[in-house]
Amino acid sequence: AQRVTQPEKLLSVFKGAPVELKCNYSYSGSPELFWYVQYSRQRLQLLLRHISRESIKGFTADLNKGETSFHLKKPFAQEEDSAMYYCALTLRTGANSKLTFGKGITLSVRP
Amino acid sequence: EPEVTQTPSHQVTQMGQEVILRCVPISNHLYFYWYRQILGQKVEFLVSFYNNEISEKSEIFDDQFSVERPDGSNFTLKIRSTKLEDSAMYFCASSDDSRLAGRNEQFFGPGTRLTVL
């Protein structure tokens, strides 16, 4: 069965510091990977997906199939980046495919 | 911008009672989902729904759970006889046809916190 692992529960950094939120997955096929973010008192929302290969709010994530990782990175953290971040995967690129989530990590960016 | 809505935001019920959680997906979406998150744990898939039938369900989604889309707009999750361990945040999500939109994004509602006493 597929699994998503986010090894850390909390990452606390100062504003301007680099951030790397780790995500590893286990699945023998070719999943689609996502990062979802949940800001305080807001809903889960998509941050980025590996297929689009884009940078959102300064965040990037590269799918490394050899290491089965999809780490989320930002070179200079901002206070407004403080949130809960979830890594997730689906097993196929079409619609109607369930998301499998990691446990999530709280990012705290201090002034 | 259209959003998924859920009601109520918080539901308190006694063990053994039936509850219905309601969701209004984004209007042109075709695929609907329920997830839950027990406090301190990961978000878990419960069920997906398309074309008025269940597409996939998890082991959690046993005979006590049911879903329906009674009127073409609401998408409901019913728990027939609630147990203490059903206490969780329940999220509804919807997505469009990614073959047309070229993407596979699920849009989440704000969640309903279910507390079973």
Side-chain angles (χ1 to χ4, degrees), chain B residues 13 18 26 30-31 49 58 61-62 85 87 91 99 112:
Chain B
T13 189
E18 174 184 287
I26 294 172
L30 302 175
Y31 304 91
F49 192 85
S58 72
F61 195 88
D62 61 21
E85 52 265 38
S87 294
F91 295 104
R99 292 169 296 174
T112 292

Side-chain angles (χ1 to χ4, degrees), chain A residues 3 17 24 27 39 48 50 53 55 57 59 61 83 85 105 111:
Chain A
R3 187 168 67 239
N24 288 89
Y27 179 61
Y39 300 102
L48 52 78
H50 89 268
R53 295 176 169 266
S55 173
K57 299 183 179 182
F59 286 97
Y85 291 80
I105 181 170

Side-chain angles (χ1 to χ4, degrees), chain A residues 4-5 9 39-40 48 50 54 64 68 85 89 102 105 107:
Chain A
V4 176
T5 303
K9 287 188 177 180
Y39 300 102
S40 179
L48 52 78
H50 89 268
E54 54 192 347
N64 185 323
T68 58
Y85 291 80
L89 66 76
I105 181 170
L107 174 63

